Amino acid sequence: MDFTPSEEQTAAQGLAARIFGDLSTHERLTAAGTGTDAELWKELCAAGLPAAVEDIGLLGLVLLLEEQGRTTAQVPFAATCVYGLLAVAAHGTPEQRERLLPGLRDGTAVATGAFPARGGVHIAEDGALYGSVPWVPWLRDATLVLVADAERGLWIVRTGEPDVTAVPVETTAPWSAGRLVLDGVRGERLGNGQPGAYADVLATARTAFAGLQAGVCAGSLARAVHHTVTREQFGRPLSTNQGVLLRAADAHMDTEAIRVTTYEAAWRHDEQRACEAQALTAAWWVSEAGKRVVHAGQHLHGGTGADLDHPVHRHFLWGRQLDAYLGCGGEVLEELGLLLAHSGQEGAS
């Protein structure tokens, strides 16, 4: 394995770091409230970062999402790339790729996904889609939704259709989410219904959002380090206390565990190797270690960490949202165990 970024990936990450650092400021996030920063999204698309994902791969996307996570930038970057660009590029028909990819590349189309499949959407005998999904991230911004039905088929649904309703929902993190209700809409099947498409998109999503969590945790830890180094108690910095040092060191190791497992899953995906187990492993670290890191970030800020207006609180909200998105720790661990047991049985036979 070699996780060393290519020249193109490094350049894209540097550009993303600059844009997120310049525009996703505390003042702009405060002004955005729980909505999307439309100007930041336009800037990212004008810089060609969503379009670049097709060239720099999933590992490159993970690097970009780390930069988003560091600043908790409120844009539908991960959702559009995972459920739009990468899903259509990998599993769409040639006609779908020609028709859908240009808008996803330049940001005029925004995608999200009703994932994972939990049996909420069913196909009627006439082929129409019925059902609801309690919450879908960035649904209020989306023009396209990749819907997974109860049989794990994938459908492209346009939010502007009369039989599609998006009811605004506020989640822990400000992700412009909504409740998706389908009442007989005629969805467009993604590709030709290839087996394995659902599993591939879900593994890609888990890996990408794990990269986002790595950035959220790194940003939380960086703020905690700055606070404990500059804040003094009894005439010396808080960072000189052994308890603070140990808590910060544990948070650093947890963050690195999220990062390295995510890099492995992304690298295997780009090398066209099996990566479902690695994506589940990264998702487990996202849930179990991610919540530890963002809790530590708040605690190391002392009373300041309880201030809802302090920037570190956003990392806490994002970390807890990502903790459960696409499966919490216990769920993904069970899924990983079943996958490994099934693989072992196949090997034995």
Side-chain angles (χ1 to χ4, degrees), residues 208-231:
F209 281 92
L212 193 59
Q213 180 75 307
V216 168
C217 291
S220 175
L221 182 57
R223 291 188 183 280
V225 168
H226 176 76
H227 176 80
T228 56
V229 167
T230 57
R231 186 70 176 266

Side-chain angles (χ1 to χ4, degrees), residues 11-97:
Q13 184 181 23
L15 178 58
R18 181 180 63 78
I19 294 174
F20 284 126
D22 289 346
L23 297 182
S24 186
T25 62
H26 175 60
E27 294 73 23
R28 287 176 64 93
L29 288 169
T30 300
T34 61
T36 298
D37 188 336
E39 292 302 316
L40 174 55
W41 178 240
K42 289 180 182 178
E43 186 70 22
L44 291 168
C45 294
L49 287 177
V53 171
E54 291 179 86
D55 296 322
I56 62 177
L58 184 54
L59 181 56
L61 175 58
V62 164
L63 296 174
L64 303 186
L65 292 176
E66 278 193 70
E67 301 305 328
Q68 179 185 357
R70 290 179 200 275
T71 60
T72 60
Q74 291 170 201
V75 287
F77 195 15
T80 293
C81 290
V82 169
Y83 301 120
L85 275 164
L86 294 180
V88 172
H91 304 289
T93 64
E95 188 277 331
Q96 286 175 330
R97 292 196 292 270

Side-chain angles (χ1 to χ4, degrees), residues 121-124 127-131 147 149 155 157 182-187:
V121 177
H122 300 272
I123 310 172
L129 298 174
Y130 290 86
V147 177
D149 65 34
W155 303 85
V157 172
L182 305 177
D183 188 20
V185 66
R186 296 284 179 174

Side-chain angles (χ1 to χ4, degrees), residues 79 106 108 121 132 134 144 157 187 221 223 231 235 285 297 324 342:
D106 64 20
T108 54
V121 177
S132 64
L144 304 172
V157 172
L221 182 57
R223 291 188 183 280
R231 186 70 176 266
W285 280 102
H342 180 68

